[in-house]
C-alpha cells in the first residue's frame, strides 16, 4: 500500500528524523577523551617542536621547503664510511650532543634496501625483537645482494662528500647516494630520485641516558622522564628514546597504506593546510575503539607501518619496522628543487609527498622497496614478511558474530533460528561474555557449561 497526502509526508519526516538521529549517534559515538591526540603525546610534541625549529632556521637562512635539509644537525663522521660485503657502514652524529649513532645500509635481493640505526654504544639494549616476530624466519634468512654486484664510489660536489653505492639487476639500474654534511640518503631508480631520507632535515634520535637532576628534565625536554594521561602516569627511567625521520617520495602525488584507519584510500595531508587535510597525524597504535569516527586518522584495531607510493609509471614502498607507538605526518608539494639535495644545480618540477615518521622507542629499521610495478613491490614485501597463508575452507563461509551472547542458551537460540530460516553458516563467534569476569583465556562455566 502506498501512502499519500499528509500521511506520506508524516512518514517521510519520521524517516528523516530517525536518519538524522542515527547519524548524530555515529558522530557522537567515540569517547574522544579516552584516546590521545598528538598534542597529548610528549614524544610527538618534542619532534614537532624540533621540526618547527628546523623549518624556522631554514626560513631565516632563506631556504625554500625543498632545501630545508641544510638545517639538519646530523652529519656523517669523517672516515667512518666503508662497504662490508652487502652492507654500507657509517657513523652519524648530532652536532651538539656528540652521541655517535651506528648506521647500516644493507642491500638485499630484488633491489630492497634496509637501513638500521641506533646508538653505537647504547646505555642499555634497545628493543629489537620486532624483526624476530615479523620478518620471514625472524629475519635470519633474508636474501642479500651479491657483494660483487655492489660498487662504492665517493665524490666531492661543491666541497661536500657524497658516497654512492651502485647496483643493477633484471628490473633496476639503481644507486643509493648518501651525503655526509648534512646526512641524507637518496634512492635513485633508473636515473630518477624516488625515495629521499632526511631531505627535510627532520631526522632526530633521542639517545638513552642517566637521569640527571631532581627536576628530571633533559635540556628542558617536554615529558622526557614522566608524562600523565588522565589517571595514568608513564615513567621513563632511561629518559626519552624516540626517533623521527622524514621520508619523501619524489614524483608521486599519492601514498597509500599504514592501516588501520577509517580514512580514504589515498592518504590525506595532515600538515600544510588544504580543504580536506586532517588536523591530526595518522596514529599507529592498536586500540579497541567502539563506534569509531569516520574519515579520521585516529588509530583502530591494528597497525601496519607499510606505505606505498604509486603513479602511472612506477610503485615504491617503505616498511617502517617498529612496534612502538608511531605517528605519521603527510605533506604534499607540487614542485621541488631536487637538485639542491646534492647541490648539483639542476631542478625538477616533480610533485613530492613528504612524510614524517615518529616512533616512541626501539631501533630505527626501514626497508625501501623499489617495485617498479605494484606486483613487484608486493612480492618484495612478501619476501620480507612471508605470504599470507591460504585460509582453511571453513573460513570462507558465513561467520555469525555479535556483541554479546549472554549465555549458552542465547547461542543455541541463534543456531536454531539460523537453521529454521535455512541460513547456512560455518562459525558462531563468542565475544567477551564467555570468559570468567572478562579475563582473557578463561571460561565462564556457569554461563557456558558445555564448551563442546
Amino acid at each position: 500500500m502506498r501512502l499519500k497526502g499528509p500521511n506520506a509526508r508524516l512518514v517521510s519526516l519520521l524517516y528523516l528524523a530517525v536518519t538524522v538521529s542515527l547519524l548524530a549517534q555515529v558522530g557522537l559515538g567515540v569517547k574522544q577523551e579516552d584516546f590521545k591526540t598528538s598534542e597529548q603525546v610528549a614524544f610527538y610534541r618534542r619532534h614537532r617542536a624540533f621540526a618547527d625549529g628546523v623549518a624556522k632556521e631554514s626560513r631565516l637562512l632563506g631556504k625554500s621547503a625543498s632545501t630545508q635539509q641544510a638545517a639538519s644537525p646530523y652529519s656523517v663522521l669523517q672516515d667512518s664510511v666503508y662497504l662490508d660485503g652487502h652492507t654500507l657502514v657509517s657513523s652519524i652524529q648530532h652536532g651538539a650532543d656528540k652521541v655517535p649513532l651506528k648506521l647500516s645500509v644493507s642491500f638485499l635481493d630484488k633491489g630492497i634496501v634496509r637501513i638500521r640505526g641506533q646508538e653505537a654504544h647504547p646505555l642499555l639494549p634497545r628493543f629489537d625483537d620486532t624483526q624476530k616476530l615479523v620478518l620471514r624466519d625472524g629475519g635470519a634468512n633474508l636474501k642479500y645482494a651479491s657483494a660483487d654486484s655492489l660498487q662504492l664510489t665517493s665524490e666531492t660536489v661543491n666541497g661536500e662528500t657524497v658516497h654512492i653505492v651502485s647496483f643493477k639487476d633484471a628490473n633496476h639500474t639503481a644507486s643509493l647516494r648518501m651525503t655526509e654534511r648534512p646526512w641524507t640518503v637518496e634512492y635513485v631508480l633508473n636515473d630518477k630520485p624516488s625515495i629521499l631520507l632526511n631531505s627535510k632535515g627532520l631526522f632526530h634520535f633521542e639517545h638513552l641516558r642517566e637521569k640527571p637532576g631532581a627536576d628530571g628534565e633533559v635540556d628542558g625536554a617536554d615529558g622526557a622522564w614522566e608524562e600523565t594521561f588522565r589517571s595514568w602516569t608513564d615513567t621513563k627511567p632511561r629518559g626519552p628514546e624516540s626517533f623521527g625521520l622524514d621520508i619523501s617520495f619524489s614524483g608521486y602525488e599519492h601514498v597509500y597504506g599504514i592501516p588501520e584507519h577509517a580514512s580514504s584510500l589515498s592518504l590525506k595531508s595532515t600538515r600544510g593546510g588544504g580543504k580536506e587535510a586532517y588536523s591530526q597525524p595518522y596514529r599507529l597504535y592498536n586500540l579497541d575503539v567502539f563506534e569509531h569516527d569516520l574519515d579520521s586518522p585516529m588509530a583502530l584495531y591494528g597497525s601496519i607501518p607499510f606505505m606505498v607510493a604509486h603513479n602511472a609509471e612506477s610503485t615504491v614502498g617503505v616498511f617502517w619496522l617498529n612496534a612502538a607507538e608511531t605517528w605519521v605526518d603527510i605533506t604534499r608539494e607540487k614542485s621541488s628543487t631536487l637538485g639542491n639535495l646534492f647541490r648539483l644545480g639542476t631542478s625538477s618540477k616533480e610533485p613530492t609527498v613528504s612524510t614524517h615518521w615518529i616512533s616512541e622507542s626501539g631501533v630505527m629499521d626501514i626497508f625501501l622497496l623499489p617495485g617498479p610495478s605494484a606486483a613487484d613491490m608486493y612480492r618484495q614485501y612478501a619476501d620480507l614478511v612471508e605470504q599470507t597463508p591460504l585460509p582453511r575452507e571453513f573460513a570462507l563461509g558465513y561467520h555469525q558474530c555479535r556483541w554479546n551472547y549472554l549465555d549458552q542458551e542465547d547461542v543455541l537460540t541463534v543456531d536454531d533460528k539460523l537453521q529454521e530460516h535455512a541460513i547456512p553458516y560455518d562459525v558462531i563467534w563468542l565475544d567477551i561474555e564467555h570468559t570468567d569476569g572478562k579475563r582473557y583465556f578463561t571460561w565462564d562455566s556457569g554461563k557456558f557449561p558445555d564448551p563442546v
Side-chain angles (χ1 to χ4, degrees):
M1 181 178 66
R2 178 177 297 178
L3 296 176
K4 297 181 181 180
N7 288 336
R9 288 194 293 272
L10 180 62
V11 171
S12 297
L13 289 173
L14 179 60
Y15 277 124
L16 179 61
V18 170
T19 301
V20 170
S21 175
L22 291 173
L23 290 174
Q25 290 180 42
V26 170
L28 299 174
V30 182
K31 295 181 179 179
Q32 300 288 357
E33 66 276 10
D34 288 344
F35 303 102
K36 292 181 179 179
T37 63
S38 60
E39 294 83 5
Q40 296 170 309
V41 178
F43 76 88
Y44 177 85
R45 293 197 302 266
R46 294 195 299 271
H47 283 268
R48 190 68 260 157
F50 176 83
D52 291 342
V54 170
K56 181 179 180 180
E57 183 177 348
S58 295
R59 288 193 297 271
L60 292 175
L61 293 172
K63 303 291 184 179
S64 66
S66 59
T67 59
Q68 186 172 307
Q69 74 279 356
S72 175
Y74 288 86
S75 299
V76 177
L77 295 180
Q78 189 174 9
D79 300 324
S80 69
V81 180
Y82 62 94
L83 189 61
D84 182 12
H86 50 66
T87 301
L88 180 68
V89 181
S90 64
S91 296
I92 60 177
Q93 183 172 277
H94 189 286
D97 64 27
K98 305 298 183 183
V99 176
L101 306 175
K102 181 180 180 181
L103 189 78
S104 65
V105 182
S106 299
F107 297 88
L108 283 73
D109 190 30
K110 300 180 181 179
I112 301 172
V113 174
R114 183 182 193 182
I115 301 173
R116 284 173 55 85
Q118 62 174 318
E119 298 97 332
H121 308 289
L123 185 65
L124 289 172
R126 285 177 172 260
F127 180 79
D128 196 21
D129 284 348
T130 307
Q131 59 177 330
K132 299 177 183 178
L133 302 171
V134 174
L135 297 181
R136 182 192 294 267
D137 302 323
N141 297 313
L142 296 177
K143 295 182 179 180
Y144 290 92
S146 167
D148 296 336
S149 67
L150 306 175
Q151 181 181 6
L152 173 63
T153 58
S154 300
E155 58 185 47
T156 302
V157 180
N158 296 331
E160 300 296 342
T161 302
V162 182
H163 303 282
I164 306 167
V165 177
S166 303
F167 53 98
K168 185 176 182 180
D169 62 21
N171 292 319
H172 310 92
T173 299
S175 63
L176 185 132
R177 302 171 61 96
M178 182 174 71
T179 60
E180 284 196 353
R181 191 179 303 272
W183 172 73
T184 61
V185 172
E186 181 182 44
Y187 196 14
V188 181
L189 298 170
N190 299 322
D191 299 323
K192 292 183 179 181
S194 296
I195 307 175
L196 315 178
L197 276 62
N198 202 35
S199 66
K200 303 299 178 186
L202 304 186
F203 175 67
H204 185 50
F205 200 99
E206 297 181 323
H207 59 86
L208 297 166
R209 65 202 78 186
E210 296 286 359
K211 190 172 184 178
D215 59 0
E217 292 298 309
V218 180
D219 301 327
D222 171 22
W225 298 90
E226 181 177 288
E227 63 179 306
T228 299
F229 175 68
R230 299 185 66 180
S231 61
W232 297 276
T233 297
D234 182 17
T235 59
K236 307 161 192 178
R238 297 302 178 186
E241 53 181 297
S242 66
F243 60 91
L245 174 67
D246 60 276
I247 303 176
S248 297
F249 300 92
S250 174
Y252 299 91
E253 296 184 61
H254 300 280
V255 290
Y256 311 86
I258 57 171
E260 179 180 30
H261 302 95
S263 179
S264 58
L265 180 61
S266 176
L267 300 177
K268 296 184 179 182
S269 297
T270 63
R271 293 185 65 82
K275 183 173 64 174
E276 296 186 353
Y278 290 137
S279 60
Q280 288 286 311
Y282 287 89
R283 188 186 188 193
L284 295 171
Y285 189 75
N286 297 356
L287 292 172
D288 188 353
V289 186
F290 181 60
E291 296 180 325
H292 58 77
D293 273 341
L294 300 177
D295 193 19
S296 168
M298 74 179 298
L300 294 178
Y301 293 92
S303 52
I304 303 176
F306 175 48
M307 181 177 286
V308 175
H310 175 75
N311 61 24
E313 297 178 352
S314 62
T315 304
V316 297
V318 166
F319 182 34
W320 180 275
L321 185 59
N322 188 282
E325 179 178 5
T326 299
W327 298 79
V328 183
D329 269 311
I330 298 175
T331 59
R332 285 175 167 81
E333 303 166 22
K334 291 299 182 181
S335 63
S336 59
T337 308
L338 298 175
N340 284 330
L341 180 60
F342 299 107
R343 299 169 175 84
L344 299 179
T346 60
S347 63
S348 173
K349 295 293 185 181
E350 295 284 353
T352 300
V353 179
S354 297
T355 62
H356 187 193
W357 301 67
I358 305 168
S359 289
E360 185 177 22
S361 61
V363 172
M364 185 176 76
D365 197 353
I366 309 164
F367 291 87
L368 311 182
L369 312 180
S373 71
D376 292 328
M377 190 273 305
Y378 280 110
R379 289 190 191 99
Q380 293 153 9
Y381 181 65
D383 285 345
L384 297 176
V385 301
E386 297 194 40
Q387 295 177 342
T388 302
L390 288 174
R392 298 182 66 177
E393 187 176 6
F394 81 90
L396 302 177
Y398 173 65
H399 290 228
Q400 169 65 31
C401 180
R402 91 162 186 254
W403 179 53
N404 271 301
Y405 295 112
L406 301 179
D407 51 32
Q408 182 171 308
E409 182 180 357
D410 191 8
V411 176
L412 294 176
T413 299
V414 172
D415 173 73
D416 290 339
K417 289 296 182 182
L418 288 169
Q419 299 289 344
E420 177 184 338
H421 295 284
I423 300 175
Y425 78 96
D426 287 82
V427 178
I428 289 184
W429 288 86
L430 305 182
D431 210 292
I432 197 69
E433 293 302 326
H434 77 278
T435 61
D436 183 7
K438 294 183 171 59
R439 292 185 291 267
Y440 293 126
F441 310 114
T442 62
W443 188 271
D444 189 332
S445 58
K447 293 181 179 179
F448 294 86
D450 185 6
V452 178

